[in-house]
Amino acid sequence: MQFINFDKTDVYKRLAEHAKNNVFDFRKRLDAKRVGECIAPMAAGLKYSWAAKAVDEGTVNLLQELANEQELISKYKVLLDGEMMNTGEKRKVLHHLLRGELGQPVIEDGKNIGEFYRRELARFCDFAASVHEGKYKGTTGKPFSSVIQIGIGGSDLGPRALYLALENWAETEGKKKLNAKFISNVDPDDASQIISNCRLDQSLFILVSKSGTTQETLANELFVNYKLIKAGLDPSKHMVAVTSETSPLAHNSAYLDSFYIDDYIGGRYSSSSAVGGCILSLAFGPEVFREFLSGAAEADRLALNENILQNAALLDALTGVWERNFLNIPYTAVLPYSQALSRFPAHLQQMDMESNGKRVNRSGEPVDYDTGPVIFGEPGTNGQHSFYQLLHQGTGVTPLQFIGFTDSQRHDDVTVDNSVSQTKLAANLAAQIVAFAKGQESGDRNKEFPGGRPSSLIYGKRLTPEVLGSLLAHYENKVMFQGFVWNVNSYDQEGVQLGKILTKKVLSGSFGDDALEAYSRMLGV
């Protein structure tokens, strides 16, 4: 198996020539037949439609050759088998193993990592069940009614997005156990607002920091502890930790319990671990979290298919490479037509941009081609009244990734003007796909839409825990495959470190840079 730069592959030049000489005008080719044919299966009943992509049969064939030449499935398999794939930090990459074994058992220093993950899953699921049964109570003896996660980055974005995605579903299905809230920003207004709107004596806090040294998270822990003590409560009866077994938070009497992950689980890929599982199990019940894992595991299995037309994550990844490197488009918009997925684009933004926002390859050598795109998005139909103007009629082209469902989560709707709101939502989504693709001619230039804006659509019946797991794993695997194509290390994040180093200098008073000192004084440090 070889890890080579994208532009050194045999198929790279042929893709470039194909983009130059065979531009596929999907504006004219998008019809019912193409819509019906350009569909790939996904897990949990979802489907991936790529009919409105600027991709013809010749493009598909070349992208299949690219997948084969870069050995994308083989690389996925060795990742699953526990090979060292995080070259920057010399670590394995094992977030798939949180959902179940797809490869060989992963053994490290005589320790079966899969068994470790399964044990921790059982532990925090049992803990959640005990909280629901009233076996754990706060200082005053009252049962917990709220759970509040303290974390930042991957310890906040993914779990927050998943909780919001399932909250309506859980309330409708009678699965809601506890209210959940999140504290992430070191800005004291964040923690203060959350705490002022909860019953501290009935609140359980989850402190999440793999290293146990995350500055913002520990600052917020001290803030919360101060508020608990001021209210006459014992912090040790109101807080659990999610951390590594070697961190200062591990095996610590300051917490009711501690649940563990290891260095093989990156923060932005940790929602399948105790980082996401603890709060989701407490909020909705352990069985709901296990359903989520089941959907993700099925998606992971489907991602092993070498045929790109039967592997939605791989096809999504490769069409993204086509748009980024050969159509020269630096952006991608994620547009879920589901209010439940309101924070899902923010999570994907971190996962994608932190993973593949790299300028050097796996060996640390600069690359001569573009890598990860800028990711942004908002739920529809809100986005239609915000930034869609630029997407429709601006001077650039942005690929669009739509997500939609035929049924709402709450089944609570009314008929107005001969249709319910869910039907109106779906009608808006269908209209936007065609409007972006085909545009509109007009004698009035202000009313002219050029079209030619490519999009994909992930669609299904209803957003459930299993469907959510499928969605999350799809995007995780998409990012993985793109990283393999570009030959970058998708699993470290040195880009966040320099700012942390300079922040410590500012707080210690040893600036070492007059501009840094000047800005710090300007901001009252």
Side-chain angles (χ1 to χ4, degrees), residues 89 354 492-504:
E89 297 171 313
E354 201 167 79
D492 65 4
Q493 54 283 330
E494 290 299 323
V496 305
Q497 300 304 323
L498 178 58
K500 290 183 178 181
I501 294 170
L502 295 182
T503 298
K504 289 180 179 179

Side-chain angles (χ1 to χ4, degrees), residues 85-163:
M85 298 297 278
N86 179 348
T87 52
E89 297 171 313
K90 304 294 187 295
R91 294 173 179 168
K92 305 175 190 298
V93 176
L94 298 180
H95 54 273
H96 298 87
L97 189 55
L98 295 165
R99 276 102 73 156
E101 287 182 348
L102 293 175
Q104 300 294 321
V106 179
I107 308 297
E108 179 77 8
D109 297 328
K111 177 181 178 181
N112 186 311
I113 306 299
E115 289 183 1
F116 166 65
Y117 293 164
R118 288 189 290 275
R119 184 178 72 246
E120 291 306 306
L121 170 63
R123 287 185 64 236
F124 66 73
C125 283
D126 288 346
F127 175 79
S130 295
V131 169
H132 300 151
E133 293 165 4
K135 294 180 180 178
Y136 289 97
K137 293 183 173 69
T139 306
T140 62
K142 294 179 180 178
F144 294 116
S145 60
S146 295
V147 55
I148 302 169
Q149 182 136 317
I150 306 171
I152 198 166
S155 300
D156 168 75
L157 285 166
R160 187 193 296 251
L162 300 184
Y163 171 77

Side-chain angles (χ1 to χ4, degrees), residues 321-521:
V321 169
W322 167 248
E323 291 162 345
R324 183 73 177 102
N325 296 102
F326 302 105
L327 303 186
N328 302 312
I329 304 174
Y331 315 105
T332 297
V334 179
L335 309 170
Y337 274 61
S338 168
Q339 186 60 29
L341 293 173
S342 61
R343 291 297 290 169
F344 197 60
H347 170 58
L348 298 185
Q349 185 178 64
Q350 185 210 10
M351 182 176 56
D352 201 316
M353 295 173 69
E354 201 167 79
S355 293
N356 290 338
K358 308 292 171 63
R359 58 182 296 274
V360 299
N361 66 13
R362 288 166 52 85
S363 301
E365 301 162 342
V367 298
D368 295 324
Y369 44 84
D370 292 323
T371 56
V374 173
I375 304 294
F376 68 97
E378 278 287 317
T381 58
N382 297 38
Q384 293 176 200
H385 296 269
S386 176
F387 52 82
Y388 278 33
Q389 168 61 42
L390 184 146
L391 299 182
H392 275 294
Q393 292 184 306
T395 55
V397 173
T398 298
L400 316 162
Q401 296 207 307
F402 291 106
I403 305 170
F405 304 96
T406 59
D407 295 355
S408 66
Q409 286 186 312
R410 297 187 74 95
H411 300 311
D412 181 19
D413 212 338
V414 295
T415 300
V416 179
D417 294 334
N418 300 315
S419 64
V420 296
S421 295
Q422 182 66 27
T423 299
K424 291 180 176 67
L425 180 69
N428 271 275
L429 174 49
Q432 290 296 328
I433 294 172
V434 174
F436 277 118
K438 296 190 175 185
Q440 172 182 276
E441 294 182 359
S442 175
D444 183 345
R445 290 292 178 86
N446 285 323
K447 298 182 185 300
E448 191 171 273
F449 290 70
R453 272 61 172 164
S455 69
S456 62
L457 170 65
I458 293 174
Y459 66 100
K461 184 172 177 60
R462 187 177 181 227
L463 182 56
T464 65
E466 192 175 10
V467 166
L468 184 62
S470 171
L471 263 181
L472 181 78
H474 170 88
Y475 281 101
E476 289 181 348
N477 293 327
K478 171 194 172 181
V479 168
M480 172 190 69
F481 286 132
Q482 288 184 330
F484 290 156
V485 169
W486 290 319
N487 195 33
V488 298
N489 176 19
S490 300
Y491 301 107
D492 65 4
Q493 54 283 330
E494 290 299 323
V496 305
Q497 300 304 323
L498 178 58
K500 290 183 178 181
I501 294 170
L502 295 182
T503 298
K504 289 180 179 179
K505 288 186 176 182
V506 171
L507 293 175
S508 68
S510 57
F511 299 95
D513 184 290
D514 60 352
L516 181 62
E517 183 173 1
Y519 277 116
S520 300
R521 300 306 184 206

